[in-house]
């Protein structure tokens, strides 16, 4: 394939509403980005990150030098956890406001970047809170400039207008989508991802797969979202097994990262439906559950239930994973079992029961999927009617393996 002819050490510039630098060594672009921030009179930034990956990945060493060289002062908020909470966003916003930060620099995977996007909004609306932002009591139109150094190959948040934060006391994990939180610049450097643990590497790529399966089958799917869906599945199917054997394989990391980025563009256009709307209640109730694992457990049943009305597109985009599909509407079970077998072969073989959920939990999960702010919008985009009965059915079918 043509991928072998691409020089992955050549950093390329990818423009959407965000500008993304992709390639081995892209982290060095932080020098140019810092220079531009200075030109824009951004003299102080809040760095939003998790506890350690910003250092372990090697990103911080380069970023710190660039900020110092350009005379940009910074404060670090390093308390963002997976499934970031409204409290963390409020705490980081407080640090940013007290410091007088004019920009936000996120270093990390989806959680720090989504938290940083939320902080960027609240810096412009200091009278508001993360809870009011995610409960939709106001509509932001502006945010502080956002720069991201992305450390995982799954969420696509470095190139899209989405962010997700959990409101723990309500067990809500809503999503927001605003044009003002497209990052100004993002860095996608696969060399920063070779230390990602095995399971995290798996779960983030499975997140990307779910983004495109949904974005290609919503009511607003387009040839554009389908094109990127097809390429995302092809690249993940090809390169994910390689990094499981050799985590340091930079070519494989590059294409997984590229796949997750175009998956981000795919769902920025085609949006999402069942799998994300039903996963968010799972990780809202159990914040220790990885988003990608939650999605993996639900995907076979989601595909089974939508296949009849989306058989042609699903057979096409899923061909690298389930090659026997022809697009016949009667293949729903075969498609679902094929996806589950692919996931299990990768080592992702948990179902909801294995993660501590039981049939008793289904009613509460269904309620959360129907009432959490923003999730009903996603459900309204599903290709079949998404009422409480079908939501319940998908949760129930996802408790245990579909087959053998
Ligand atoms: Fe996701």
């Amino acid at each position: 394939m043509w991928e072998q002819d691409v020089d992955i050490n050549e950093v390329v510039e990818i423009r959407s509403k965000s500008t993304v630098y992709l390639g081995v060594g892209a982290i060095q672009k932080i020098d140019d980005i810092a220079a531009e921030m200075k030109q824009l009179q951004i003299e102080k930034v809040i760095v939003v990150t998790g506890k350690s990956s910003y250092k372990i990945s090697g990103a911080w060493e380069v970023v710190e030098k660039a900020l110092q060289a350009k005379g940009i002062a910074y404060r670090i908020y390093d308390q963002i956890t997976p499934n970031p909470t409204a409290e963390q966003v409020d705490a980081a916003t407080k640090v940013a406001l007290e410091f007088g930060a004019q920009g936000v620099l996120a270093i990390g995977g989806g959680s720090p970047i989504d938290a940083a996007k939320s902080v960027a909004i609240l810096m412009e609306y200091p009278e508001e809170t993360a809870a009011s932002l995610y409960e939709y009591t106001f509509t932001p139109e502006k945010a502080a400039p956002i720069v991201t150094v992305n450390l995982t190959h799954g969420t696509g948040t470095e190139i899209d207008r989405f962010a997700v934060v959990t409101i723990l006391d309500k067990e809500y994990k809503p999503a927001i989508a605003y044009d003002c939180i497209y990052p100004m610049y993002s860095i996608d450097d696969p060399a920063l991802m070779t230390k990602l643990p095995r399971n995290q590497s798996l779960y983030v790529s499975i997140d990307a797969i779910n983004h495109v399966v949904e974005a290609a089958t919503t009511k607003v799917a387009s040839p554009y979202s389908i094109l990127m869906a097809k390429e995302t599945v092809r690249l993940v199917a090809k390169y994910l097994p390689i990094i499981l054997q050799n985590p340091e394989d930079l070519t494989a990391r590059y294409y997984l990262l590229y796949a997750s980025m175009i998956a981000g563009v795919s769902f920025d256009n085609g949006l999402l439906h069942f799998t994300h709307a039903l996963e968010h209640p799972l990780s809202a109730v159990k914040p220790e559950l990885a988003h990608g694992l939650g999605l993996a457990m639900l995907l076979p049943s989601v595909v089974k239930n939508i296949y009849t009305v989306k058989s042609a597109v699903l057979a096409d985009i899923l061909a690298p994973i389930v090659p026997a599909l022809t697009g016949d509407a009667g293949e729903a079970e075969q498609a679902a079992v094929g996806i589950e077998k692919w996931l299990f072969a990768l080592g992702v073989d948990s179902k909801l029961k294995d993660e501590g959920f039981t049939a008793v939990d289904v009613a509460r999960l269904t309620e959360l999927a129907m009432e959490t702010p923003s999730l009903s919008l996603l459900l309204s985009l599903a290709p079949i009617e998404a009422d409480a009965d079908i939501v319940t059915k998908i949760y129930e079918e996802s408790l245990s393996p579909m087959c053998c």
Side-chain angles (χ1 to χ4, degrees):
M1 287 297 289
W2 56 266
E3 293 110 81
Q4 290 151 1
D5 301 330
V6 172
D7 180 0
I8 63 168
N9 298 294
E10 184 76 36
V11 175
V12 294
E13 189 172 292
I14 309 234
R15 288 173 177 269
S16 67
K17 280 205 168 181
S18 301
T19 297
V20 176
Y21 294 109
L22 168 72
V24 177
I27 188 65
Q28 301 300 335
K29 285 284 180 186
I30 196 69
D31 288 332
D32 296 344
I33 294 169
E36 186 164 337
M37 288 165 86
K38 190 78 178 177
Q39 267 185 359
L40 294 170
Q41 297 177 333
I42 299 170
E43 309 273 348
K44 292 180 173 183
V45 295
I46 173 90
V47 177
V48 179
T49 188
K51 285 193 177 63
S52 56
S53 63
Y54 73 112
K55 286 186 179 161
I56 294 168
S57 63
W60 178 242
E61 200 184 328
V62 183
V63 171
E64 186 181 30
K65 271 191 198 135
L67 294 177
Q68 287 170 349
K70 297 293 179 297
I72 297 174
Y74 60 85
R75 287 279 184 282
I76 300 176
Y77 181 85
D78 63 359
Q79 300 297 307
I80 303 296
T81 58
N83 294 316
T85 65
E87 286 75 18
Q88 291 164 7
V89 169
D90 287 334
T93 304
K94 188 164 182 277
V95 173
L97 290 171
E98 285 173 2
F99 180 51
Q102 299 136 329
V104 182
L105 177 52
I107 309 178
S111 299
I113 296 176
D114 283 7
K117 288 175 165 180
S118 313
V119 169
I121 289 174
L122 293 172
M123 283 163 64
E124 298 290 339
Y125 298 88
E127 70 285 3
E128 300 288 354
T129 64
S132 63
L133 175 62
Y134 281 87
E135 290 190 64
Y136 286 80
T137 63
F138 75 106
T139 304
E141 289 173 355
K142 55 187 176 173
I146 301 159
V147 171
T148 83
V149 178
N150 180 25
L151 298 183
T152 67
H153 44 75
T155 68
T157 190
E158 78 275 22
I159 199 166
D160 71 29
R161 68 196 141 122
F162 290 88
V164 175
V165 162
T166 300
I167 305 172
L168 279 177
D169 58 334
K170 295 198 168 166
E171 295 183 319
Y172 284 169
K173 186 181 167 188
I176 55 171
Y178 295 113
D179 276 20
C180 60
I181 50 173
Y182 279 107
M184 180 170 67
Y185 288 105
S186 287
I187 288 173
D188 268 346
D189 186 340
L192 302 175
M193 298 175 190
T194 54
K195 301 289 180 283
L196 265 184
R198 179 188 175 90
N199 275 350
Q200 212 185 338
S201 299
L202 274 169
Y203 298 154
V204 293
S205 282
I206 289 167
D207 187 17
I209 290 284
N210 278 274
H211 290 154
V212 296
V213 170
E214 292 171 78
T217 54
T218 61
K219 285 181 182 157
V220 295
S222 67
Y224 189 52
S225 67
I226 292 167
L227 170 75
M228 284 178 283
K230 200 171 161 163
E231 182 68 342
T232 297
V233 177
R234 181 183 78 80
L235 290 169
V236 172
K238 179 172 178 180
Y239 290 103
L240 188 53
I242 296 174
I243 57 135
L244 297 180
Q245 292 298 318
N246 178 13
E248 307 275 339
D249 188 314
L250 276 176
T251 299
R253 291 280 183 193
Y254 178 96
Y255 283 109
L256 291 172
L257 178 53
Y258 173 68
S260 76
M261 185 196 65
I262 61 170
V265 178
S266 179
F267 89 83
D268 203 21
N269 286 271
L271 304 176
L272 301 169
H273 57 77
F274 279 122
T275 337
H276 274 73
L278 271 65
E279 191 292 312
H280 285 201
L282 297 177
S283 48
V285 171
K286 283 190 195 300
E288 67 279 12
L289 180 71
H291 174 56
L293 176 57
L295 296 168
M297 297 188 290
L298 297 164
L299 183 62
S301 171
V302 170
V303 167
K304 184 178 155 193
N305 283 285
I306 65 169
Y307 195 86
T308 313
V309 296
K310 287 288 172 186
S311 54
V313 69
L314 283 169
D316 193 21
I317 68 171
L318 293 174
I321 295 176
V322 196
L325 298 175
T326 65
D328 186 280
E331 297 167 331
E333 186 90 23
Q334 187 189 349
V337 169
I339 289 173
E340 191 168 83
K341 281 186 174 165
W342 178 73
L343 290 165
F344 282 16
L346 288 168
V348 185
D349 54 3
S350 279
K351 298 301 287 185
L352 292 180
K353 274 189 180 167
D354 304 308
E355 297 301 315
F357 294 96
T358 69
V360 175
D361 300 316
V362 169
R364 174 66 181 147
L365 293 169
T366 301
E367 197 175 80
L368 285 171
M370 304 308 287
E371 76 175 32
T372 299
S374 78
L375 299 188
S376 57
L377 171 68
L378 297 188
L379 289 172
S380 74
L381 298 170
I384 57 172
E385 196 194 336
D387 57 16
D389 289 346
I390 186 74
V391 170
T392 296
K393 181 168 179 252
I394 293 169
Y395 279 129
E396 284 174 345
E397 288 180 348
S398 305
L399 286 166
S400 309
M402 290 215 147
C403 114
C404 17

